[in-house]
Amino acid sequence: MIARLKTLVDAGRCPHALVIDGGTYESRLLCARELASAILGETEKVMNDIHPDVITVLPEDKKKTLGVDVIRQMRDDAYIIPNESERKVYIIAKAELMVDKTQNALLKILEEPPHYATFILLCDTHSTLIETVLSRVALFSLGEDAETENDEAYAEYLDLAKAMASSMATRNRFGLMNAVSAFDKNFDKLTPALDCLSAIVRDALIISAGGNELISGAPDIARSMASALSTGEIISAQEGITEIGKAISIYANNNLTLTRLVSKLIGGQND
């Protein structure tokens, strides 16, 4: 799961608020710190819990619940610009200890967060969170069954992205249309597949620039894309992915969205 989260960070698509549940308290906290490290681009300070822009939120001493005052204090702090980094990360380490009143206080910052802030809620199970909070966060689980399910789902999304990327690399419009048609009956898979495709295109740009720090899990396709397309074409494709990703919730017509996607991915390529 952390690999998927880091891919979202590198692609600039990490949610501003997310829940990590399941596993043990220690495994959740480790996962949160690894994610914070990826967001801030700093490892040693974050993992040693000494980075000023990574704030771990815990109940007050000897309190059995995470009180409203603690969340209000966090909320006030969130509007103070970061110290050393361009971003700030808040790890609410025992979110299951928030009563409804506390969660409602948290809701205010989740609805209108500062652009530089990310909130990571850790809990045994997300069922302890109220519906309005859950509606504003992305959910990830460390449970064994859920982890296997997430891995299988991610592999499927990556395969869908590879099909699109391969057609882009060979300038095969028909092949791209065929790959995109997979979303006709599974439109809900488009967004995570675009996240994977964005990572592949990002890798192609890195390769074009002479770099080798690849994250997509599809290095061969990224190399093919970097070899076949100009840097301008790759950048145009990445911009197209971002545009369609933002527009998915706007367009009511799924077919129109998919048609626009094909155009954005391959329409601007030079023959």
Side-chain angles (χ1 to χ4, degrees):
M1 184 187 71
I2 188 61
R4 181 186 176 196
L5 287 170
K6 288 180 178 179
T7 297
L8 293 177
V9 171
D10 289 326
R13 301 172 69 90
C14 184
H16 78 274
L18 60 151
V19 168
I20 299 175
D21 73 354
T24 63
Y25 171 75
E26 290 75 16
S27 65
R28 293 192 295 270
L29 188 58
L30 176 60
C31 185
R33 286 178 177 164
E34 288 181 349
L35 176 57
S37 175
I39 292 171
L40 270 59
E42 162 66 45
T43 300
E44 185 173 352
K45 284 186 177 181
V46 175
M47 298 309 292
N48 287 314
D49 196 24
I50 57 174
H51 198 293
D53 295 320
V54 179
I55 298 91
T56 302
V57 180
L58 289 164
E60 295 176 299
D61 287 345
K62 299 181 181 180
K63 292 291 183 73
K64 295 182 179 181
T65 61
L66 187 54
V68 174
D69 289 343
V70 174
I71 294 301
R72 286 174 177 165
Q73 182 179 353
M74 180 204 73
R75 197 171 64 197
D76 292 342
D77 184 83
Y79 289 106
I80 301 173
I81 62 173
N83 249 306
E84 294 183 5
S85 304
E86 294 182 356
R87 301 192 61 82
K88 294 177 81 171
V89 177
Y90 292 86
I91 301 173
I92 303 177
K94 296 186 177 181
E96 71 271 11
L97 299 182
M98 294 189 296
V99 297
D100 287 2
K101 184 178 180 181
T102 305
Q103 294 189 48
N104 283 323
L106 174 66
L107 194 59
K108 295 181 179 180
I109 192 72
L110 297 185
E111 289 175 335
E112 297 183 6
H115 70 276
Y116 49 76
T118 300
F119 300 89
I120 307 174
L121 285 66
L122 310 182
C123 53
D124 295 328
T125 170
H126 64 273
S127 64
T128 57
L129 302 177
I130 60 178
E131 185 176 344
T132 46
V133 168
L134 287 174
S135 68
R136 288 164 175 80
V137 300
L139 177 62
F140 298 88
S141 178
L142 290 176
E144 291 184 5
D145 293 340
E147 184 73 7
T148 300
E149 182 179 340
N150 286 341
D151 287 345
E152 291 175 353
Y154 183 68
E156 181 181 5
Y157 303 145
L158 182 58
D159 285 342
L160 291 167
K162 287 179 179 179
M164 291 186 285
S166 295
S167 296
M168 292 166 64
T170 56
R171 302 176 184 273
N172 184 344
R173 176 178 285 271
F174 178 79
L176 181 58
M177 292 172 63
N178 187 55
V180 169
S181 69
F183 303 105
D184 284 339
K185 297 181 179 179
N186 298 284
F187 194 76
D188 60 317
K189 296 179 180 180
L190 179 58
T191 294
L194 286 182
D195 290 339
C196 294
L197 180 60
S198 179
I200 296 173
V201 174
R202 175 264 184 200
D203 280 0
L205 283 172
I206 293 296
I207 294 168
S208 296
N212 57 14
E213 295 183 2
L214 309 184
I215 63 168
S216 67
D220 291 343
I221 297 175
R223 292 188 184 95
S224 296
M225 186 179 293
S227 177
L229 307 181
S230 69
T231 300
E233 288 172 330
I234 300 172
I235 292 174
S236 178
Q238 188 68 285
E239 291 173 346
I241 294 169
T242 300
E243 180 181 331
I244 294 298
K246 292 179 179 179
I248 285 174
S249 61
I250 299 175
Y251 296 127
N253 189 319
N254 293 352
N255 288 332
L256 175 61
T257 302
L258 298 179
T259 299
R260 285 173 56 84
L261 176 61
V262 173
S263 177
K264 293 294 182 181
L265 294 182
I266 208 168
Q269 293 182 6
N270 298 320
D271 295 327

